[in-house]
């Protein structure tokens, strides 16, 4: 590890969890998404990614069965925000 990397690690270790969370968000925005995911999940193959996506879609469709036909997520969010600000 280079001196610069060691310095960065030391600085991160001294940060609070909130600041580390913020730093992660900044890093995610700076590194292109394709590169970031390949660094984080190098062993994950395209088939595994597609399978995970298909499972996500199936789960979303399953959950929709339990929602009313007239369900409007945007309206629900706005209603929740209104209640929380009062």
């Amino acid at each position: 590890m280079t001196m610069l990397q060691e310095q960065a690690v030391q600085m991160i270790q001294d940060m609070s969890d909130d600041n580390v969370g913020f730093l992660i968000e900044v890093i995610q925005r700076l590194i292109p998404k394709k590169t970031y995911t390949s660094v984080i999940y190098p062993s994950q193959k395209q088939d595994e990614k597609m399978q995970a996506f298909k499972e996500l879609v199936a789960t979303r469709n399953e959950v929709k069965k339990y929602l009313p036909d007239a369900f409007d997520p945007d309206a629900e969010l706005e209603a929740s925000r209104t209640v929380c600000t009062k």
Side-chain angles (χ1 to χ4, degrees), residues 44-70:
Q44 194 175 36
K45 298 177 182 159
Q46 191 65 27
D47 294 345
E48 293 172 340
K49 293 177 185 178
M50 186 52 73
Q51 181 61 32
F53 179 74
K54 288 178 181 178
E55 290 175 16
L56 175 64
V57 170
T59 302
R60 289 178 69 197
N61 291 335
E62 180 69 23
V63 169
K64 285 181 183 179
K65 293 179 188 177
Y66 302 103
L67 297 174
D69 292 335

Side-chain angles (χ1 to χ4, degrees), residues 20-77:
V20 171
F22 177 73
L23 178 61
I24 289 171
E25 288 178 29
V26 170
I27 291 170
Q28 287 173 336
R29 291 179 184 168
L30 291 175
I31 300 174
K33 197 167 198 151
K34 184 176 181 182
T35 304
Y36 179 73
T37 56
S38 65
V39 169
I40 300 299
Y41 307 107
S43 64
Q44 194 175 36
K45 298 177 182 159
Q46 191 65 27
D47 294 345
E48 293 172 340
K49 293 177 185 178
M50 186 52 73
Q51 181 61 32
F53 179 74
K54 288 178 181 178
E55 290 175 16
L56 175 64
V57 170
T59 302
R60 289 178 69 197
N61 291 335
E62 180 69 23
V63 169
K64 285 181 183 179
K65 293 179 188 177
Y66 302 103
L67 297 174
D69 292 335
F71 181 75
D72 181 3
D74 294 327
E76 292 290 327
L77 178 61

Side-chain angles (χ1 to χ4, degrees), residues 3-19:
M3 288 291 289
L4 189 59
Q5 291 171 331
E6 288 178 16
Q7 184 181 4
V9 169
Q10 184 60 43
M11 290 173 70
I12 292 169
Q13 288 175 341
D14 293 340
M15 288 180 157
S16 69
D17 284 347
D18 290 336
N19 287 339

